[in-house]
Amino acid sequence: MKVLVTGGAGFIGSNFIRYVLSRHPDWEITNLDKLTYAGNLDSLRDVDSCPRYLFVKGDIANRKVVDKVLKQGFDVIVNFAAESHVDRSIIDSSPFIKTNVQGTQVLLEGARQHGVKLFLHISTDEVYGSLGTEGKFTEESPLLPNSPYAASKAAADCLCRAYYRTYGLPVIITRCSNNYGPFQFPEKLIPLVITNALEDKSIPIYGNGLNVRDWIYVADHCQALDLIIQQGKPGEIYNIGGNNNTTNLELVKYILNIMGKPRSLITFVSDRPGHDRRYALDTTKIRQQLHWKLTTSFEEGLRRTIQWYLENESWWRKIKSGEYIKYYHRMYSQT
Ligand code: NAD
Ligand code: TYD
């Protein structure tokens, strides 16, 4: 099977490429990635020389590039490519519209013209908006995005639906909760906490730290996507979640505890504008219809993740010595 992965040099995409190359000896993967600040070929060094893997640098929003790549003929497109950080979308939403909306449209159109058999679009639980203290989002929940990031992802989901309904393009949308694991860019909460703690730097908690996220170990997400490629039904949406809901404050304390670092590193800062209070996903559909099961407990996943950052200091130090931190942290001041 020939698979085009977009955004494969990012966190989930690189984990997915490694996952499927090791499990499917007959799959060939082409990775189309623009290499934005979040794209990192260091995350794929171990698969670099695999004859079934090819990297192409390019923008999914560029029609010519996409057309040229798709001429190679693909059975499946897995669209991970996106601007993915909420804080950045608050500072400047333009690249989010360009990549997440326009880029998805260009890919959908390319998939239609080149007869791709499955377009798997990687979306997020953030398209559903925010929950109060009760309930979970199902695949039927309305799209009520609150951040420019979530709005751009919701727009892309709508385009995917439209391409299925209008042109019969075989599209599947997945909406996953917050991922964590190896190779995650240290602007996201868990790698930020781990790497700051390793450097004995303060850990910013937005607002009161009582916002709730559902965390899933990235390999469990990859496993679900692999299953969906093989058994998912075109036109359907599947929620994928870790069934692991914790407040940010509890999570940070838990990580500091495992690492033997003091809670005094925690610094409360001003809240994220429009900060979603709680995400929680009902994953009955994928569990019942595709018999998907979570395999990694939160405790085990966190231990593995911390260990990975301990053993791969050069990977994250190279990133943290760059400019990225100044970019978004100017938004938050100590409270
Ligand atoms: P990431 O930011 O780590 O990686 C994004 C990748 O896309 C990078 O390699 C980047 O270079 C590439 N990219 C960006 N713009 C591009 C463009 N125009 N053309 C080609 N490549 C481009 O993101 P991630 O955390 O790996 O997330 C991957 C996908 O999963 C995204 O679509 C995101 O919305 C979705 N998602 C992420 C999470 C999470 O917790 N990280 C949860 C649910 C869904
Ligand atoms: P993040 O990893 O950015 O994911 P998302 O916003 O997509 O859920 O943030 C996870 C949660 O952690 C979110 O409620 C915002 C909060 N947060 C902090 O409190 N401090 C931080 O430095 C970061 C990056 C996030």
Side-chain angles (χ1 to χ4, degrees), residues 178-189:
N178 286 58
N179 285 226
Y180 68 98
F183 299 107
Q184 188 169 27
F185 196 89
E187 66 186 351
K188 304 281 169 59
L189 184 65

Side-chain angles (χ1 to χ4, degrees), residues 301-314:
L302 265 185
R303 281 188 190 282
R304 274 193 223 162
T305 305
I306 293 168
Q307 192 60 30
W308 187 87
Y309 281 88
L310 269 168
E311 287 169 3
N312 291 276
E313 228 181 281
S314 61

Side-chain angles (χ1 to χ4, degrees), residues 6-302:
T6 70
F11 163 48
I12 307 174
S14 61
N15 276 282
F16 177 78
I17 289 172
R18 185 171 298 101
Y19 185 93
V20 293
L21 280 176
S22 69
R23 276 165 185 80
H24 300 289
D26 54 336
W27 286 22
E28 290 172 27
I29 309 286
T30 296
N31 171 17
L32 174 64
D33 197 297
K34 188 180 171 185
L35 295 183
T36 67
Y37 79 95
N40 188 347
L41 292 180
D42 287 347
S43 307
L44 290 160
R45 290 279 168 245
D46 54 330
V47 298
D48 232 6
S49 55
C50 174
R52 293 180 291 114
Y53 169 73
L54 177 72
F55 173 70
V56 178
K57 185 172 188 289
D59 187 339
I60 60 161
N62 183 323
R63 262 168 222 280
K64 280 195 185 141
V65 167
V66 167
D67 192 54
K68 194 172 166 201
V69 170
L70 288 179
K71 276 198 177 116
Q72 293 169 31
F74 289 96
D75 302 298
V76 179
I77 296 178
V78 188
N79 183 28
F80 292 99
E83 287 293 334
S84 69
H85 193 39
V86 173
D87 290 333
R88 287 178 187 261
S89 80
I90 294 168
I91 293 169
D92 180 9
S93 60
S94 317
F96 288 74
I97 304 306
K98 183 90 201 291
T99 289
N100 302 3
V101 186
Q102 204 178 318
T104 301
Q105 187 272 334
V106 169
L107 276 179
L108 285 164
E109 193 53 38
R112 183 166 89 87
Q113 282 170 14
H114 290 271
V116 167
K117 295 186 198 99
L118 175 64
F119 188 102
L120 176 56
H121 180 70
I122 311 304
S123 187
T124 164
D125 60 356
E126 303 194 26
V127 296
Y128 296 123
S130 183
L131 289 164
T133 48
E134 296 294 313
K136 289 183 173 188
F137 295 120
T138 71
E139 289 83 355
E140 310 299 321
S141 298
L143 300 184
L144 294 169
N146 292 318
S147 69
Y149 161 67
S152 68
K153 294 294 290 186
D157 286 17
C158 291
L159 280 168
C160 288
R161 176 187 156 90
Y163 268 72
Y164 173 73
R165 302 283 291 208
T166 306
Y167 306 110
L169 185 74
V171 178
I172 296 178
I173 297 171
T174 58
R175 296 187 179 138
C176 191
S177 59
N178 286 58
N179 285 226
Y180 68 98
F183 299 107
Q184 188 169 27
F185 196 89
E187 66 186 351
K188 304 281 169 59
L189 184 65
I190 289 183
L192 181 87
V193 172
I194 297 171
T195 57
N196 276 19
L198 286 172
E199 296 185 294
D200 294 309
K201 282 188 181 156
S202 70
I203 290 158
I205 292 205
Y206 302 164
N208 58 14
L210 298 183
N211 304 69
V212 174
R213 295 292 181 268
D214 170 30
W215 296 97
I216 181 170
Y217 190 61
V218 64
D220 285 9
H221 183 190
C222 294
Q223 192 206 354
L225 297 177
D226 185 15
L227 183 65
I228 287 167
I229 288 173
Q230 296 177 75
Q231 291 175 31
K233 196 166 155 233
E236 296 293 317
I237 297 167
Y238 297 95
N239 283 348
I240 305 168
N243 194 25
N244 197 311
N245 302 87
T246 160
T247 68
N248 295 336
L249 189 56
E250 278 164 356
L251 171 68
V252 172
K253 285 181 181 166
Y254 187 55
I255 295 174
L256 290 175
N257 199 29
I258 299 178
M259 295 179 71
K261 293 287 181 176
R263 288 184 180 181
S264 55
L265 289 177
I266 293 173
T267 310
F268 287 93
V269 298
S270 49
D271 208 357
R272 173 186 276 174
H275 198 174
D276 283 337
R277 182 67 174 182
R278 187 170 75 91
Y279 304 140
L281 282 180
D282 182 329
T283 58
T284 309
K285 183 171 173 179
I286 187 170
R287 285 186 290 106
Q288 288 193 350
Q289 293 184 8
L290 303 184
H291 311 294
W292 176 69
K293 277 203 293 265
L294 272 170
T295 51
T296 315
S297 70
F298 194 42
E299 193 185 24
E300 176 58 24
L302 265 185

